Amino acid sequence: MSVTFLLDIPEDNEGDSLGSSTFENGEQETRFGKQQQYTDPDAAFYEQDDHLTATMKILANMPSRTIGRSQGAMLSEYYNRTMRRRRGRKRPSVYSLQRSARPSLRLRDGVSDEQDEQQRLLVSELQNTSGTNRSRLLKSFPLSLNVKRELKQSINDAGGLWRQRNVNPCCTQLRDEVTMCIHQCWIFSLSVFLSLRPWHVALKQIGGRFGSSVLSYFVFLKTLLEFNIFLSFLCIVFIVIPQAVHPLNIPNPRVFTGLELLTGAGYFSSTLMYYGYYSNLTLNENCSSGFNITACPAGRAWFPYHMPLAYLFTIGAAFVSTCIILVYRMSCSFGDSFRVGLFRGATAVKVFSSWDFKVTQNRSVQRQRENIHMQLKEMLSERLQSDRPVVLKKQLKSIFIHTLSWALCLGSWLGAAVVVYLLSEHLHQDHRARVKRGGEPEVEAMLLPLPLAVSVLNLLLPYMYHALGLWEKLDFPVLEVYVAICRNLILKIVVLGVMCYHWLIRKTKFLENKCWETFVGQELYRFVIMDLLFSLLDTLFGEFLWRIILEKKYKKKCRTEFDIARNVLELIYSQTLAWLGVLFCPLLPVVQVLKLLLLFYIKKASLMRNCRSPSKPWRASHMNTTFLTLLCFPSFLGASVFFSYTVWSIVIYFHIQIVNGQRKIINLLKEQISNEGEDKRFLIERLHSFYEKRSKEKRHSQQQKAYFNPGNT
């Protein structure tokens, strides 16, 4: 916007040294007889600024402009005026201006007073707000640090004068000291709380050295640990402790030999470990009635505790709570991951605004530098990979390789299902025969081959999928991880599906005199323990010894990449086993917590010593969301369906059958009562007919006697 001035250039040096423009009767006169046009942007700017100043004065003095409503407008206006003030901070030289343009400097000096007035209004508005809101507004507003310091100093000066006029100095000093002490205690407690976060430094170190892709595995492991701690707390408080306080008076006939740590059977079968040990009655039922108080044990609660309902409702509440937390975490992760990198200036923001200047320690500085360096590599690799051209011949070759790879994967899934099913059938037929012969210790040892075979399949087949992924040579590393996750996930689903089918359909036929729930809990315990052992062996032989072999062969440092897909699916598989077994083994989440703690430290140590960062850096912004989604739908949903079907078919189903049997008995009794009534009616009718016949015969005999002996009548 520009304003056109008709300027009067004087003929001599008389008059105002700064120059002036004369206007007579609304017409402009020039001494040279010549009019010149000049465009002054500053004049237009300050003409608009006058209107803004007047408007802001009127708005600020309106009664409806309370502090809650006007502080945003005041801050916005002050910010706009400050920005205009910065742009016009450098005044033009007097010698470079036309003489007629010099009055704009006077206008600028006049406007500075208006700006000071606006600043005073803003300070007064902020002075009336609370300290928390004032600090929040100052931090959130896009002003420079110098401007914020000036505002804060002005507020403090004004507040000091107000306190000197209205507050007792002794009370003010005491209040300030107490406030400062509380603030320091709060800062200290907050720093202690943040330092106590589990594995905070370790996760920072992993992310800076190996990138967000490898970090996502350890973050996911931490998430699973939190779920299992919550589940363990519920089971211990509401199931294990009440039963431990009221133990069953049944001696354990078996002796602990150490083999129970692998099999889960033997001595553990008659303990709090499994479903079959827990009472089927109400605890403290006699003590709650008030009678026979002397028979109640001292120091125990006297309220009744129905153990079957507590057991069922605790497991059900644990599943519902886990579902709610899992869906909430998944939604939060979904929102965070899909907001990353959606704007074009993400790289510039990462380059110029990602450094934390509060970091002072050398180790923290090094860790932050590595983290930013890895993030920049990930962002740049995505752009380079998206610009690669597509060749038809290479594309056809890739389609053929992918088809063959998926055919091999399909064959491996079918083969794994057949092997698991046939082996389980053979082992349990042999188990049934041995139970009849009484060879119990040998039977428990013979149950180990099934989890052993399943763990071998889960160990070897993922290496085959990894080799197929290297053969396919996918361009995008994230796509390679997703394909590997899909193949490993289908393998886990097939194996667990066969085992669940076997447990639900076949086990009740083979175990006539044993608790079916306890036996399933023992098998799931064996699967969890065997999975832990094979994970440790895989870390030892697959990473440590492989690194040593490569270094001796190539005479230099050779390290393998961390297989994210395989390790993540191992965690999901292990967590699925824990969810499947919590109904049959309430202490299985505790075993899972110990397992995850051990895995974290072993995997971290192996990662730092035996693995290297990905050869193709890629940003795992969506990986946490993907892991939680896989944990929710195939894993948790499958475990929930298994839990629901088990409760319906084994607890509820038997009760339904009992009720149906009782109804049949009642119907039979009613039918019997009806038949007895019919029998009585039949007997009464027979008696009635008999008496009628007898009376007829009697009358007939009397008539005959009267006929043959008429004199006697």
Side-chain angles (χ1 to χ4, degrees):
M1 180 178 179
S2 61
V3 179
T4 303
F5 289 90
L6 299 177
L7 302 178
D8 185 10
I9 302 178
E11 193 174 10
D12 51 9
N13 294 331
E14 297 178 357
D16 190 4
S17 60
L18 292 177
S20 62
S21 59
T22 58
F23 298 89
E24 296 180 0
N25 299 324
E27 297 180 355
Q28 184 178 13
E29 300 178 356
T30 58
R31 298 189 180 178
F32 285 117
K34 181 180 178 182
Q35 291 184 346
Q36 297 181 356
Q37 289 186 350
Y38 183 77
T39 301
D40 189 359
D42 290 338
F45 171 77
Y46 288 111
E47 180 181 359
Q48 183 182 6
D49 191 69
D50 288 337
H51 294 292
L52 290 174
T53 304
T55 304
M56 288 303 301
K57 273 189 174 182
I58 295 173
L59 291 177
N61 294 326
M62 289 176 64
S64 62
R65 303 286 285 189
T66 59
I67 182 60
R69 298 175 55 190
S70 63
Q71 60 186 1
M74 295 295 295
L75 285 171
S76 178
E77 173 61 19
Y78 185 72
Y79 169 69
N80 294 331
R81 297 178 69 86
T82 304
M83 296 303 296
R84 292 196 298 268
R85 192 175 180 182
R86 287 183 193 170
R87 289 194 295 265
R89 182 67 59 88
K90 185 177 181 181
R91 297 187 177 185
S93 176
V94 176
Y95 299 101
S96 62
L97 294 176
Q98 296 285 345
R99 295 176 63 185
S100 59
R102 293 170 186 171
S104 63
L105 300 179
R106 295 197 198 101
L107 182 62
R108 178 174 303 195
D109 293 335
V111 171
S112 63
D113 297 334
E114 299 293 335
Q115 292 175 350
D116 295 337
E117 179 67 20
Q118 291 295 320
Q119 184 175 357
R120 286 193 293 271
L121 289 173
L122 178 63
V123 170
S124 63
E125 293 285 346
L126 291 175
Q127 182 65 33
N128 294 327
T129 59
S130 62
T132 305
N133 293 331
R134 185 191 310 156
S135 301
R136 180 177 55 82
L137 289 172
L138 287 176
K139 289 180 180 180
S140 62
F141 209 72
L143 295 173
S144 65
L145 291 177
N146 292 329
V147 175
K148 290 182 180 179
R149 289 193 187 101
E150 292 176 2
L151 284 175
K152 190 173 182 180
Q153 185 65 31
S154 301
I155 294 170
N156 292 334
D157 294 341
L161 293 175
W162 183 84
R163 284 193 296 268
Q164 290 177 3
R165 292 195 302 266
N166 297 280
V167 183
N168 190 356
C170 297
C171 297
T172 302
Q173 184 178 2
L174 179 62
R175 185 185 63 183
D176 293 341
E177 292 179 355
V178 171
T179 304
M180 183 62 66
C181 181
I182 294 174
H183 180 70
Q184 290 178 355
C185 293
W186 167 252
I187 295 297
F188 176 75
S189 61
L190 185 62
S191 62
V192 171
F193 175 75
L194 293 176
S195 63
L196 292 178
R197 286 184 297 177
W199 308 329
H200 179 68
V201 177
L203 293 177
K204 287 286 186 181
Q205 185 180 5
I206 293 171
R209 185 170 176 180
F210 297 94
S212 59
S213 57
V214 178
L215 178 64
S216 61
Y217 166 79
F218 291 91
V219 173
F220 184 63
L221 191 150
K222 181 182 175 183
T223 303
L224 294 183
L225 181 64
E226 295 171 357
F227 279 116
N228 285 279
I229 290 175
F230 172 71
L231 193 59
S232 302
F233 173 78
L234 292 180
C235 292
I236 290 175
V237 172
F238 296 104
I239 297 178
V240 178
I241 291 180
Q243 187 64 59
V245 173
H246 303 85
L248 299 178
N249 296 324
I250 300 176
N252 195 340
R254 299 171 184 175
V255 181
F256 182 78
T257 60
L259 187 62
E260 292 85 355
L261 296 176
L262 289 178
T263 63
Y267 180 80
F268 288 162
S269 299
S270 301
T271 60
L272 293 166
M273 192 76 176
Y274 298 112
Y275 177 92
Y277 178 81
Y278 291 86
S279 176
N280 197 26
L281 303 173
T282 301
L283 305 180
N284 276 337
E285 186 175 10
N286 296 327
C287 297
S288 62
S289 61
F291 301 101
N292 195 15
I293 299 179
T294 57
C296 298
R300 296 182 183 178
W302 288 4
F303 60 89
Y305 195 83
H306 195 272
M307 197 64 202
L309 290 180
Y311 196 102
L312 182 62
F313 288 161
T314 300
I315 302 299
F319 269 82
V320 173
S321 304
T322 303
C323 180
I324 295 173
I325 297 173
L326 189 58
V327 171
Y328 174 75
R329 292 287 296 269
M330 186 172 62
S331 62
C332 294
S333 178
F334 183 86
D336 294 337
S337 62
F338 283 90
R339 283 198 302 266
V340 176
L342 292 182
F343 58 96
R344 295 183 178 179
T347 306
V349 170
K350 182 62 64 177
V351 172
F352 296 105
S353 304
S354 58
W355 186 261
D356 187 3
F357 289 93
K358 295 182 292 184
V359 176
T360 56
Q361 297 181 356
N362 293 330
R363 295 181 60 184
S364 300
V365 169
Q366 180 68 17
R367 191 159 49 241
Q368 186 176 4
R369 185 186 69 82
E370 292 177 352
N371 198 355
I372 296 175
H373 177 257
M374 182 58 67
Q375 292 177 5
L376 290 175
K377 287 174 64 177
E378 294 171 354
M379 297 173 70
L380 293 176
S381 64
E382 289 183 358
R383 294 192 176 185
L384 293 176
Q385 292 168 1
S386 60
D387 298 335
R388 292 183 179 180
V390 179
V391 182
L392 180 59
K393 183 178 179 181
K394 186 179 293 185
Q395 190 173 6
L396 293 176
K397 181 180 178 181
S398 177
I399 292 174
F400 173 75
I401 293 175
H402 291 166
T403 305
L404 185 59
S405 298
W406 282 101
L408 293 175
C409 293
L410 180 61
S412 67
W413 300 329
L414 295 177
V418 171
V419 168
V420 172
Y421 180 77
L422 294 179
L423 183 60
S424 60
E425 288 287 333
H426 172 73
L427 289 177
H428 289 290
Q429 286 178 0
D430 185 65
H431 171 73
R432 184 182 180 186
R434 289 178 181 274
V435 167
K436 293 181 179 179
R437 294 195 299 266
E440 186 67 21
E442 187 178 359
V443 171
E444 295 176 1
M446 287 301 296
L447 292 175
L448 288 176
L450 181 60
L452 183 65
V454 172
S455 299
V456 169
L457 290 175
N458 289 330
L459 177 65
L460 298 181
L461 289 181
Y463 279 104
M464 186 188 80
Y465 301 151
H466 181 68
L468 291 177
L470 296 177
W471 184 40
E472 290 172 339
K473 295 181 180 179
L474 296 174
D475 295 331
F476 299 97
V478 64
L479 181 60
E480 182 178 350
V481 173
Y482 284 143
V483 170
I485 286 176
C486 180
R487 291 169 177 172
N488 286 278
L489 180 65
I490 295 176
L491 174 65
K492 310 295 184 184
I493 291 175
V494 167
V495 172
L496 288 177
V498 172
M499 294 306 304
C500 290
Y501 171 79
H502 187 74
W503 290 328
L504 293 175
I505 303 300
R506 303 295 181 184
K507 290 289 177 63
T508 55
K509 297 181 180 179
F510 295 158
L511 303 173
E512 293 85 0
N513 299 321
K514 296 185 65 175
C515 180
W516 177 81
E517 291 85 356
T518 298
F519 191 83
V520 175
Q522 291 173 356
E523 287 225 321
L524 287 167
Y525 174 85
R526 286 190 286 269
F527 274 88
V528 171
I529 296 299
M530 201 61 65
D531 181 71
L532 173 62
L533 294 178
F534 272 80
S535 297
L536 299 180
L537 291 176
D538 178 47
T539 303
L540 176 62
F541 292 99
E543 296 176 359
F544 177 69
L545 292 182
W546 185 249
R547 177 180 67 87
I548 294 176
I549 292 172
L550 291 178
E551 288 181 355
K552 289 185 177 181
K553 180 178 180 181
Y554 295 104
K555 303 300 181 180
K556 63 179 181 180
K557 289 186 177 181
C558 296
R559 298 186 177 184
T560 59
E561 292 187 14
F562 188 78
D563 195 345
I564 302 171
R566 179 172 54 83
N567 286 279
V568 167
L569 264 298
E570 286 180 358
L571 291 180
I572 294 178
Y573 170 74
S574 178
Q575 186 60 39
T576 307
L577 293 176
W579 279 332
L580 289 174
V582 66
L583 176 65
F584 312 106
C585 181
L587 291 178
L588 193 61
V590 180
V591 179
Q592 181 72 3
V593 168
L594 300 177
K595 175 182 175 180
L596 292 175
L597 287 173
L598 184 62
L599 276 179
F600 181 86
Y601 290 106
I602 292 178
K603 289 290 184 182
K604 177 181 176 294
S606 176
L607 179 71
M608 293 299 179
R609 295 178 178 272
N610 305 321
C611 299
R612 57 180 173 85
S613 58
S615 57
K616 296 179 181 179
W618 53 281
R619 183 172 48 182
S621 58
H622 307 299
M623 292 302 294
N624 292 327
T625 305
T626 304
F627 296 159
L628 289 175
T629 304
L630 294 176
L631 183 68
C632 180
F633 291 105
S635 177
F636 181 76
L637 183 62
S640 301
V641 170
F642 180 78
F643 167 75
S644 303
Y645 180 78
T646 303
V647 171
W648 179 84
S649 61
I650 305 300
V651 180
I652 296 176
Y653 175 77
F654 287 150
H655 284 289
I656 292 174
Q657 295 299 320
I658 291 172
V659 171
N660 291 334
Q662 291 175 351
R663 288 177 180 175
K664 290 181 180 179
I665 292 174
I666 291 173
N667 292 330
L668 290 175
L669 292 175
K670 288 181 179 180
E671 186 177 357
Q672 185 176 357
I673 292 173
S674 177
N675 293 331
E676 289 179 355
E678 294 293 334
D679 293 340
K680 291 179 180 180
R681 189 179 296 110
F682 174 76
L683 292 175
I684 291 173
E685 290 177 355
R686 292 296 299 271
L687 288 173
H688 182 68
S689 61
F690 176 76
Y691 282 120
E692 286 182 353
K693 185 178 180 181
R694 189 173 181 181
S695 62
K696 288 180 181 180
E697 291 177 353
K698 187 176 181 180
R699 287 195 300 269
H700 182 66
S701 62
Q702 290 177 357
Q703 290 177 0
Q704 287 181 351
K705 288 179 180 180
Y707 178 76
F708 290 108
N709 299 313
N712 296 331
T713 57

